[in-house]
Amino acid sequence: MPRPQPHLEEVLASKPGSHIAALFDFDGTIISGYSATAMLREKFQRREMSMEEIAETAQVIAQHSLGTIGFSGLMSGAAKFMKGVDEQSFIEFGEELYKKHIARKIYPETRAIIEAHQAKGHRVAIISSATIYQIEPTARDLGISDIKCSAYEIEDGVFTGDIIRPLCFGEGKVLAAEELAAEYGLDLDKSFFYSDSDDDIELLERVGKPRPLNPNLKLKAIAEENGWPVQRFGSRGTPSWVDYTRTIYATGSLVGAFAAGLPIWALTRSQREAANFSIGLFGDFATAITGVELEVEDEKHLWSSRPCVFIFNHQSKADVMILAKLIRRDMGGVGKKEIKNIPILGKLMEWGGTVFVDRADGKSAIKAMEPLVDAIKIEGKSICISPEGTRSLTPKLEPFKKGAFHLAMQAGVPIVPIVIHNATDVAPKNEFVMRPATVRVTVLPPVDTSKWTPRTINSHVRDVRNMFLRTLGQPEESVAESVAKEPAPEVASPEVNTEKAKPKKSAAKKPAAKNKVPATKMATKKSSPRKGRAA
């Protein structure tokens, strides 16, 4: 059974209106843990901190923890080491930090609350004591265009080593909220503020609907005293030994499942029947041991048009066991050649019908995938491919490659889209541990490919991708957008499907900044919204 989410249910039942604000703290509220900790860890791993800087940073943190210096002193200590650093390099560092550390720390429950507020037309903003470099990539992913945060002083694109006062901390957050209210005509008495810390007590008391998320002990006590509803999430943060045990058993069950199929192979001499038994067993066992439950819509489409090419959006390593449980039999797939070299696992996947391709060699990949056409036409197998190529960093759908579509055309079979809504709840990209979750899956009707041609392939890819986007509740791609990013013409044959299209690099947008301006104004950031989201 899904865990109750009172905060989300409250938003879904609330009144719509742009006069209502939904304000969010960042660290501990939108993400698990502290972005500053991830930043220091990354700088240390890159060996970008001198021994002197490490020692002084540790001393300042210790003094702040003991209460001998306040947050202003902590920020001043950090700013000192920024002196002379080009701001653009820190913007780029923030983007890298997001990809490597922050993205997988986003609470899926908070994401759901934010999306519910956006659907109600509420003004969603982040008000945080962290800096724009820690926050902006996450805000962009969440479709949040307003950020109020603390800031370092900048002159001519270079950090001066000072901070902008007042900081967005304590009473400074109240000033930030009032600035937003004045700018957008917000009614703070009818607005929400989500936070995990008693450091935010001033703003929690200022809004009409204070909503503690993952509260520390002091805030928990304050909430109980004031009758504020509290919610705590367990989907991120430090895993328990149970989570590790679940994950290890689930991963190892692939070997056990295929071992269980060996007697069938030995007695019947049918590798296909043995593989079918093992695939279904793996899907059932792995989802059960990890506590993953599936809510499947239109499951009938999984069986109505086989053989076919199943395509799915790739969010998590949990997708493998989810697809095994759904498709169960007579299936093959595509994987990157590096997996083939993994002892035992590579052999098992190859035995189960996986074709391995070299992502760096397009011609080799095309040749390697030729047997898949025969597997469909002659053996009657269905092939499962992710047109994104690899796991996406967030639930946002990535661009599609065309290999799966060419394959379906050449084999003369339909495409069956499998839309996975929230497998990142189980395990986001770069996360080892899998956690219990209820995963929603929608199986769309089969897509006829009999009249497709290489000349019209681009429009078909766009149309199918838009089916995924509609089902996921994400903005659809227009014809103009599709044409604008269209690469050079491709050969009309299967291609590598194990790597997502790489977006063109563009200069990172600098946060709007003016020297000697109060932090809540200086650090106001308009994130670059995706099409279809409010600016």
Side-chain angles (χ1 to χ4, degrees), residues 184-261:
Y184 297 114
L186 305 174
D187 186 346
L188 293 181
D189 292 331
K190 295 181 180 179
S191 296
F192 301 76
F193 176 49
Y194 300 87
S195 175
D196 71 308
S197 175
D198 62 296
D199 288 335
D200 293 334
I201 188 62
E202 291 91 346
L203 184 51
L204 285 165
E205 292 179 338
R206 173 64 185 86
V207 299
K209 297 181 180 180
R211 296 296 179 261
L213 284 182
N214 314 305
N216 61 18
L217 292 177
K218 288 185 179 180
L219 180 55
K220 183 174 181 293
I222 293 171
E224 291 175 351
E225 183 179 344
N226 287 277
W228 298 341
V230 171
Q231 191 171 353
R232 190 177 297 280
F233 303 146
S235 60
R236 297 293 184 265
T238 304
S240 68
W241 67 269
V242 175
D243 294 323
Y244 278 107
T245 302
R246 289 174 183 270
T247 303
I248 292 169
Y249 269 97
T251 304
S253 70
L254 180 62
V255 177
F258 277 94

Side-chain angles (χ1 to χ4, degrees), residues 312-314 386-403 405 461-462 464-466 468-469 474 477 481-482 485-487 490 496-504 530:
F312 67 99
N313 54 314
H314 199 2
S386 168
E388 291 174 291
T390 190
R391 284 173 287 175
S392 55
L393 196 62
T394 74
K396 298 292 190 298
L397 194 68
E398 298 289 345
F400 279 7
K401 301 187 75 175
K402 302 184 183 73
F405 300 86
V461 172
R462 182 185 64 251
V464 173
R465 184 169 182 270
N466 278 340
F468 277 82
L469 291 168
Q474 298 175 18
E477 179 182 33
E481 289 173 323
S482 178
K485 64 182 182 183
E486 183 59 36
E490 299 183 37
V496 183
N497 295 281
T498 55
E499 183 180 27
K500 67 184 178 184
K502 296 181 178 179
K504 295 180 180 180
R530 296 174 184 269

Side-chain angles (χ1 to χ4, degrees), residues 18-21 23 123 177 180-189 191:
S18 58
H19 64 291
I20 298 174
L23 310 175
R123 172 66 60 174
L180 284 172
E183 182 177 358
Y184 297 114
L186 305 174
D187 186 346
L188 293 181
D189 292 331
S191 296

Side-chain angles (χ1 to χ4, degrees), residues 391-436:
R391 284 173 287 175
S392 55
L393 196 62
T394 74
K396 298 292 190 298
L397 194 68
E398 298 289 345
F400 279 7
K401 301 187 75 175
K402 302 184 183 73
F405 300 86
H406 286 306
L407 178 62
M409 279 196 306
Q410 290 196 7
V413 295
I415 283 176
V416 177
I418 299 177
V419 184
I420 302 174
H421 291 261
N422 60 313
T424 52
D425 292 6
V426 181
K429 187 174 183 178
N430 301 323
E431 186 67 57
F432 170 73
V433 171
M434 291 188 282
R435 305 176 195 246

Side-chain angles (χ1 to χ4, degrees), residues 307-384:
C308 63
V309 174
F310 290 106
I311 62 172
F312 67 99
N313 54 314
H314 199 2
Q315 295 184 346
S316 168
K317 68 179 183 179
D319 294 340
V320 176
M321 64 183 187
I322 291 171
L323 292 167
K325 185 174 180 66
L326 291 173
I327 300 174
R328 306 197 70 82
R329 59 180 296 115
D330 302 329
M331 64 180 288
V334 179
K336 58 184 180 182
K337 72 169 187 175
E338 290 82 359
I339 298 177
K340 186 176 182 179
N341 299 325
I342 299 176
I344 302 178
L345 178 62
K347 287 295 182 183
L348 289 176
M349 291 184 67
E350 187 174 20
W351 182 71
T354 300
V355 170
F356 298 100
V357 297
D358 184 355
R359 297 183 300 180
D361 187 345
K363 292 182 179 179
S364 173
I366 291 171
K367 187 172 182 61
M369 290 180 66
E370 288 175 355
L372 294 178
V373 177
D374 293 336
I376 296 172
K377 286 185 172 181
I378 300 173
E379 300 177 39
K381 284 188 174 182
S382 295
I383 306 302
C384 191

Side-chain angles (χ1 to χ4, degrees), residues 25-36 128-130 134 196-197:
D25 179 38
F26 186 65
D27 294 309
T29 304
I30 290 179
I31 68 168
S32 170
Y34 296 94
S35 54
S128 171
S129 58
Q134 296 157 258
D196 71 308
S197 175

Side-chain angles (χ1 to χ4, degrees), residues 117-193:
H117 276 295
Q118 291 168 332
K120 289 288 183 177
H122 299 165
R123 172 66 60 174
V124 180
I126 296 174
I127 299 183
S128 171
S129 58
T131 67
I132 194 72
Y133 317 103
Q134 296 157 258
I135 301 171
E136 202 277 335
T138 299
R140 186 173 63 242
D141 167 47
L142 296 172
I144 298 175
S145 58
D146 292 289
I147 303 170
K148 296 283 190 176
C149 59
S150 298
Y152 301 118
E153 185 182 76
I154 301 166
E155 289 182 358
D156 300 323
V158 175
F159 294 110
T160 67
D162 292 326
I163 56 175
I164 302 294
R165 301 175 190 275
L167 291 169
C168 197
F169 182 82
E171 191 62 32
K173 288 194 174 184
V174 177
L175 295 176
E178 289 176 344
E179 285 181 358
L180 284 172
E183 182 177 358
Y184 297 114
L186 305 174
D187 186 346
L188 293 181
D189 292 331
K190 295 181 180 179
S191 296
F192 301 76
F193 176 49

